[in-house]
Amino acid sequence: KAGVTQTPRYLIKTRGQQVTLSCSPISGHRSVSWYQQTPGQGLQFLFEYFSETQRNKGNFPGRFSGRQFSNSRSEMNVSTLELGDSALYLCASSLNTGSEKLFFGSGTQLSVL
Amino acid sequence: GESVGLHLPTLSVQEGDNSIINCAYSNSASDYFIWYKQESGKGPQFIIDIRSNMDKRQGQRVTVLLNKTVKHLSLQIAATQPGDSAVYFCAEYTGGFKTIFGAGTRLFVKA
């Protein structure tokens, strides 16, 4: 069974641009969560989706958004990029509720110049 | 506020020794706790979990202890190996489809 797949693996953008990251969960997993990982802040929860519905959102500005498709694949978008958005963005999937163990992808490393 | 913290940012142990990584949590309503291991260039990987109705759970070379009285969680790794070198995160499910992660402890294993 294939694991969680995130694309692209690396991204370099400049301030003010926007970016879209993609995540394909493990087959059969319907819950997708996104996290931002930085050396200073650790793993910060961005949002969680299930059946195309956002069920929870972390404390991030509205520039951070996401969506989930009917096949459970998910995307997150960051608009008007800032230098502080440079981070590793991790996607995790779980079977259903989010109260189960999470399976993580390898992440997308975003650098904002 | 919600937080899951770690007592030590780094831990260095001799190969073959036992490792103990500690974690404090603040939400007494949390009912599910997980330890993850993250190696360089990879996402966190599940190691072991424990529900709040238990105080100890054992896996292969790993044991998690939960002390709800003082809101403390620990991960014990027996006979630590070089392959155990990684960053370890405790995580806490607080409900609302959200898992909160601690800051992480980097484990160094000396040969």
Side-chain angles (χ1 to χ4, degrees):
Chain A
K1 195 180 236 188
V4 177
T5 304
Q6 290 189 247
T7 57
R9 188 73 177 89
Y10 301 95
L11 264 179
I12 300 175
K13 293 286 187 179
T14 57
R15 281 180 297 174
Q17 288 187 310
Q18 75 165 20
V19 66
T20 299
L21 313 181
S22 179
C23 172
S24 293
I26 291 172
S27 179
H29 285 193
R30 297 171 65 189
S31 170
V32 173
S33 301
W34 288 89
Y35 288 83
Q36 180 195 66
Q37 185 174 26
T38 59
Q41 297 296 318
L43 277 145
Q44 299 290 312
F45 174 80
L46 280 158
F47 22 65
E48 189 267 357
Y49 287 89
F50 179 83
S51 290
E52 303 177 67
T53 299
Q54 185 184 88
R55 297 193 295 186
N56 204 341
K57 188 179 192 313
N59 188 24
F60 279 84
R63 300 184 297 106
F64 292 80
S65 63
R67 59 178 176 169
Q68 186 182 34
F69 302 95
S70 58
N71 61 358
S72 295
R73 191 177 70 84
S74 178
E75 289 181 346
M76 66 163 284
N77 183 278
V78 188
S79 62
T80 319
L81 283 165
E82 300 177 1
L83 295 179
D85 297 333
S86 295
L88 179 66
Y89 290 88
L90 290 160
C91 167
S93 73
S94 65
L95 275 171
N96 184 12
T97 66
S99 68
E100 303 137 337
K101 59 186 178 183
L102 301 176
F103 294 83
F104 282 86
S106 294
T108 294
Q109 183 67 54
L110 172 65
S111 297
V112 182
L113 306 178
Chain B
E2 298 173 328
S3 68
V4 179
L6 292 168
H7 295 307
L8 295 172
T10 62
L11 177 65
S12 184
V13 300
Q14 198 69 38
E15 181 180 359
D17 288 350
N18 296 334
S19 303
I20 299 176
I21 302 173
N22 295 303
C23 175
Y25 64 93
S26 61
N27 191 335
S28 49
S30 296
D31 63 359
Y32 179 58
F33 303 89
I34 318 101
W35 282 98
Y36 290 89
K37 171 187 180 183
Q38 186 175 25
E39 297 174 289
S40 181
K42 299 181 181 180
Q45 180 182 19
F46 171 88
I47 302 173
I48 191 168
D49 57 1
I50 189 167
R51 300 248 172 224
S52 59
N53 60 353
M54 303 172 69
D55 53 21
K56 180 179 179 179
R57 191 163 189 221
Q58 289 184 289
Q60 187 176 14
R61 283 201 306 118
V62 294
T63 300
V64 55
L65 299 177
L66 174 63
N67 186 329
K68 295 181 288 293
T69 303
V70 295
K71 291 187 283 188
H72 183 268
L73 196 67
S74 69
L75 175 70
Q76 300 177 0
I77 304 173
T80 312
Q81 302 169 359
D84 295 327
S85 293
V87 177
Y88 290 81
F89 294 94
C90 64
E92 167 186 17
Y93 181 71
T94 62
F97 316 110
K98 176 179 178 180
T99 297
I100 296 173
F101 284 76
T105 293
R106 183 173 295 279
L107 176 65
F108 291 101
V109 181
K110 297 176 288 186

